[in-house]
Amino acid sequence: MNTEDIAHIAGHLDQARVSIQEVERITLQHPNLSLDDAYRVQKQGIALRIARSEKQVGYKMGLTSRAKREQMNLTSPIYGVLTDAMQISDGADFSLSRLIHPRIEAEIAFITKKDIRGKITSDEALQSVDSICAALEILDSRYLHFKYFSLPDVVADNASSSHFVLSQTRFKPSEVDVAHLEMVMDVNGVPVQTAFSSAISEHPLNSLVQLSHLLMEDDQLIPAGSIVLAGAATLAIPMEPRTRVKLKVENLGEVTVRVNAD
Ligand code: OOG
Ligand code: MG
């Protein structure tokens, strides 16, 4: 696809997000959009945000758990880019007023301390991790009814990313083994989703490995100091006003977001 079309689609999706207007999935008009093209659209969309002074702070992996792939009826993991404007602090109040149809899901995040590039092993990935924490991701697909039917659609839409919250409590990799930790997400104290961290790519560190491999195909790396969301362990649930959503991860503490009335 030519650069002009890529820029046009990126502008269209960016406009949908900023104006809070859901749009038809783009493969309706562009049925031949390849996965590579979709990543070019994603990159162009992030460039638009960076031009408005946002800063790239990391990446998110998506569709790394079977539950999520089945929920969205898609087959392979993808990535999106995180910017500083997407971060909410642990425990903060959050308004849904600028979002279309937000959902929230339970994640684990890594903060890296070395550049990660190419075909790394999970041991190498672990050595590049500075700290680990519990995280909540808020998704908001720009597509009508939060429905898309192909990987290129969701990749172009920056993997449905909207916001994320990292737990204030951080752990060193030597302090906790993230292979099989119980994760419970509750709304107003009522558990709504429970899973084990092993649901994330079989082992959350595999998400880092996969991200590095995916970026390699585009000659990119994960810069030191990046935040990497490893992908949801549970299904994403719709967010409701006047609720408090909390995720507790065994041995990793908790992370909370308070949803405002408006
Ligand atoms: C795509 C993003 C999936 C995850 O953690 O699996 C994702 C979507 O569900 O719209 O972020
Ligand atoms: Mg996610």
Side-chain angles (χ1 to χ4, degrees):
M1 190 175 271
N2 66 43
T3 316
E4 223 166 76
D5 286 343
I6 298 283
H8 177 76
I9 300 169
H12 175 64
L13 288 171
D14 185 65
Q15 179 65 22
R17 182 179 62 79
V18 173
S19 62
I20 330 169
Q21 291 288 330
E22 50 193 333
V23 295
E24 299 271 16
R25 64 193 167 93
I26 51 184
T27 52
L28 276 184
Q29 264 202 18
H30 302 276
N32 297 328
L33 188 89
S34 68
L35 197 55
D36 280 355
D37 288 337
Y39 276 113
R40 287 167 66 203
V41 172
Q42 180 189 112
K43 218 177 186 177
Q44 184 61 34
I46 293 299
L48 292 173
R49 298 181 68 147
I50 287 174
R52 295 184 211 112
S53 6
E54 291 182 37
K55 292 188 179 51
Q56 180 169 334
V57 295
Y59 291 95
K60 58 162 284 182
M61 283 297 286
L63 308 175
T64 55
S65 78
R66 190 180 318 139
K68 282 286 304 188
R69 286 196 292 270
E70 282 172 3
Q71 182 180 34
M72 304 322 282
N73 203 15
L74 292 173
T75 48
S76 54
I78 54 173
Y79 69 85
V81 173
L82 303 175
T83 75
D84 58 345
M86 300 179 189
Q87 188 162 7
I88 310 164
S89 18
D90 190 2
D93 290 327
F94 182 67
S95 167
L96 303 181
S97 64
R98 306 229 22 99
L99 275 57
I100 302 169
H101 34 213
R103 295 181 181 178
I104 190 160
E105 56 187 18
E107 304 227 1
I108 284 176
F110 299 107
I111 292 99
T112 63
K113 63 179 176 191
K114 291 186 199 163
D115 290 354
I116 301 177
R117 83 182 84 215
K119 284 238 168 247
I120 53 159
T121 63
S122 71
D123 273 352
E124 287 164 336
L126 187 63
Q127 283 153 26
S128 309
V129 169
D130 179 49
S131 59
I132 304 171
C133 64
L136 286 165
E137 181 177 20
I138 296 169
L139 299 173
D140 195 28
S141 170
R142 267 51 66 171
Y143 298 124
L144 282 166
H145 316 303
F146 214 119
K147 280 211 179 101
Y148 41 75
F149 304 89
S150 73
L151 280 179
D153 281 316
V154 60
V155 164
D157 189 29
N158 198 26
S160 308
S161 60
S162 179
H163 290 82
F164 65 95
V165 198
L166 301 184
S167 172
Q168 243 173 38
T169 322
R170 306 286 160 88
F171 292 84
K172 294 289 168 194
S174 57
E175 294 173 318
V176 53
D177 176 358
V178 294
H180 192 70
L181 304 176
E182 189 176 39
M183 302 171 67
V184 181
M185 181 163 69
D186 77 65
V187 178
N188 297 337
V190 180
V192 289
Q193 290 287 332
T194 304
F196 282 93
S197 58
S198 45
I200 306 168
S201 303
E202 318 298 327
H203 188 306
L205 267 179
N206 288 337
S207 291
L208 258 187
V209 171
Q210 277 171 352
L211 175 62
S212 183
H213 290 184
L214 285 169
L215 288 174
M216 182 180 74
E217 287 165 24
D218 191 30
D219 268 336
Q220 295 190 73
L221 51 79
I222 310 170
S226 292
I227 298 163
V228 179
L229 296 180
T234 66
L235 295 187
I237 59 156
M239 291 179 85
E240 305 291 346
R242 290 187 213 86
T243 54
R244 188 205 58 201
V245 183
K246 186 164 77 187
L247 168 68
K248 256 192 196 165
V249 182
E250 185 182 352
N251 300 338
L252 275 187
E254 52 187 54
V255 52
T256 308
V257 63
R258 291 168 196 281
V259 189
N260 285 347
D262 60 345

